[in-house]
Amino acid sequence: MNIGFDAKRAYHNGTGLGFFSRVLIKLMAAHYPQHNYYLFNPKPGTLFQPETTNIREILPTQSLHKLLSSAWRSKWVTKDLQKLKIDLYHGPSQEIPRGIPQTGIASVVTIHDLFPELYPQDFKPIDVKIYRTKLRYACNYANKIMAISEETKGHIVEKYGTDPARIDVAYQSCDPIFNVIEGVDKKEVIREKYGLPQQFFLHVGTIIERKNLLNICKALKLVQEEIELPLVVVGKGSDYKEKVKQYLIDNQLEEKVIFLSDQLAARGKKPFIATEDFPGLYQLSTAMIYPSFYEGFGMPIIEAMSGGVPVITSTTSCMPEIAGDAAFLANPERPEEMAEGFRKFYGDASYRNAAIAKGLQNAERFSPGKYVQSVMNIYNSAL
């Protein structure tokens, strides 16, 4: 079978959708080597380096298509799909090309979340309009919709009236590097490289209101007399980050929160974490806290658990669905509940060890083999 992918994110996005696309493509090509995988990339990029011979990058060749590469990706690419005899096309980032139903080529679209629908105030009006147009088209015309959680599936049905029978849930798998328990020496190299303290709590995610960093900081204030551990924050931010920083200043908590990108920049280093260092970074932490108000999936939960790191997360959205009974669940509106999670993982070794064991077991639900099997089942049902 010839399988095509919208590969813009794989080649050009260094964060969420890029990680998702790269992991998906690599796992499918490795587990199902009998198929050919065509990556339709609107312009050259360097973030993805395929490692198997059954993956082929396709770039626009006509001058007009190169000049208007976004139009090629969103519509004109259908001619290339037909020319290459693509049997199935997968849009892994919430959209499919216009006109693909007329080609007779089966299509699958992955829907990760409905953030602009649920939180339109957090986006520019033009971005919300573009998002809705692309997503509605994909939900109306894709042969199959792949939702990354039951939570996301429910929102698609609620917001767009899509027939639930057209939507299958396929839980993601994290990059296999997170399943490796790093040795002491490797972790110490990472600690020194990024200037990390001996013990710390960890928060991973873009610094925006939905990720709830301010309430994490309020929880830290509640335990500041009991627990000396700082919080290491990995992620970028702007206005909301400044709001959090002002809270820290007002409450004399500046030394309790380390914004890792800022610290690296201050040391004259590149302000980001190398992908291969993330597992060790997680595993150096006492616990990872991720109390978002809403997520489509919550990948850091699985990344942490896969490496034996206990997790504090939310009672809301998809977090209980993904974390199962392996995490400490806290109401994201209540810093006092997060503070209790800090106390449990810092002061109760037996509780922490039990959570680690449960987390490793829970992570098996999201193994690469189970993931690619569920995706291939969706592909076959779309044909």
Side-chain angles (χ1 to χ4, degrees):
M1 179 163 58
N2 292 333
I3 302 172
F5 286 93
D6 174 2
K8 175 185 176 181
R9 307 290 183 180
Y11 282 98
H12 301 282
N13 190 324
T15 55
L17 291 177
F19 279 124
F20 171 83
S21 297
R22 288 187 290 274
V23 169
L24 171 64
I25 294 165
K26 287 191 289 187
L27 287 176
M28 294 302 293
H31 282 77
Y32 296 99
Q34 68 271 34
H35 302 306
N36 300 308
Y37 301 88
Y38 294 82
L39 311 188
F40 292 87
N41 181 18
K43 56 185 178 181
T46 58
L47 287 179
F48 188 43
Q49 301 294 331
E51 300 168 354
T52 57
T53 57
N54 57 344
I55 298 177
R56 179 182 170 190
E57 180 185 9
I58 305 298
L59 293 159
T61 55
Q62 296 183 30
S63 298
L64 182 61
H65 293 177
K66 291 179 181 179
L67 180 64
L68 302 175
S69 59
S70 60
W72 176 79
R73 171 178 173 255
S74 62
K75 183 174 175 61
W76 299 333
V77 72
T78 54
K79 297 292 186 183
D80 295 279
L81 301 181
Q82 290 176 299
K83 187 183 303 181
L84 291 166
K85 302 186 185 311
I86 299 300
D87 299 297
L88 180 138
Y89 182 85
H90 187 168
S93 55
Q94 317 216 131
E95 58 185 296
I96 57 174
R98 286 191 168 270
I100 195 168
Q102 286 70 48
T103 65
I105 297 168
S107 62
V108 171
V109 65
T110 298
I111 305 300
H112 298 265
D113 56 65
L114 272 68
F115 292 158
E117 290 282 13
L118 299 171
Y119 301 96
Q121 68 277 7
D122 294 342
F123 299 84
K124 296 176 182 178
I126 185 62
D127 291 336
V128 173
K129 184 175 181 180
I130 292 170
Y131 173 92
R132 285 173 173 164
T133 299
K134 289 182 176 181
L135 188 55
R136 285 181 184 275
Y137 183 85
C139 289
N140 285 336
Y141 292 105
N143 294 84
K144 266 311 221 190
I145 299 167
M146 187 174 96
I148 63 171
S149 65
E150 293 289 347
E151 174 85 3
T152 294
K153 178 177 179 177
H155 284 136
I156 297 168
V157 174
E158 177 188 349
K159 290 292 183 180
Y160 297 122
T162 305
D163 181 357
R166 294 183 53 237
I167 311 170
D168 288 341
V169 174
Y171 289 133
Q172 300 177 64
S173 182
C174 63
D175 192 306
I177 64 173
F178 289 95
N179 296 311
V180 178
I181 306 299
E182 301 287 10
V184 173
D185 291 345
K186 173 70 178 293
K187 287 191 286 189
E188 286 307 312
V189 169
I190 292 171
R191 187 194 305 281
E192 183 175 345
K193 180 178 180 179
Y194 295 103
L196 298 166
Q198 285 299 311
Q199 289 184 290
F200 57 92
F201 294 113
L202 177 67
H203 175 64
V204 177
T206 309
I207 305 173
I208 54 177
E209 193 161 358
R210 177 173 56 80
K211 300 286 188 180
N212 205 18
L213 179 57
L214 182 57
N215 277 340
I216 300 176
C217 295
K218 290 179 180 179
L220 280 177
K221 180 174 173 59
L222 293 174
V223 299
Q224 63 179 332
E225 301 300 325
E226 312 161 53
I227 302 173
E228 295 182 357
L229 271 61
L231 175 74
V232 172
V233 176
V234 177
K236 296 180 180 179
S238 54
D239 293 348
Y240 180 71
K241 179 181 178 181
E242 294 308 311
K243 180 180 178 180
V244 172
K245 283 188 169 183
Q246 189 59 53
Y247 172 84
L248 297 175
I249 292 169
D250 293 343
N251 290 275
Q252 295 81 51
L253 291 171
E254 303 102 302
E255 301 301 318
K256 296 285 286 186
V257 178
I258 300 167
F259 293 93
L260 196 52
S261 292
D262 292 356
Q263 178 174 283
L264 291 170
R267 293 167 58 196
K269 297 190 174 184
K270 294 180 179 179
F272 61 85
I273 310 299
T275 300
E276 63 271 17
D277 292 338
F278 261 104
L281 174 64
Y282 274 105
Q283 292 166 34
L284 283 165
S285 70
T286 297
M288 196 277 293
I289 181 163
Y290 194 73
S292 299
F293 289 106
Y294 172 71
E295 294 290 341
F297 183 80
M299 181 57 76
I301 296 171
I302 303 306
E303 291 174 343
M305 289 183 176
S306 295
V309 179
V311 172
I312 302 167
T313 192
S314 300
T315 54
T316 58
S317 187
C318 69
M319 270 65 80
E321 177 186 347
I322 303 306
D325 67 349
F328 183 96
L329 300 180
N331 184 332
E333 298 274 9
R334 297 178 64 84
E336 58 269 30
E337 293 189 16
M338 298 178 215
E340 185 59 25
F342 285 143
R343 294 187 185 100
K344 282 284 192 181
F345 288 134
Y346 177 71
D348 189 336
S350 62
Y351 182 87
R352 184 173 186 273
N353 289 336
I356 289 171
K358 287 182 179 180
L360 289 168
Q361 185 176 14
N362 182 61
E364 292 176 4
R365 294 197 292 139
F366 308 91
S367 70
K370 291 178 180 178
Y371 176 42
V372 294
Q373 180 63 66
S374 63
V375 173
M376 185 54 70
N377 290 343
I378 292 172
Y379 288 177
N380 288 331
S381 68
L383 293 170

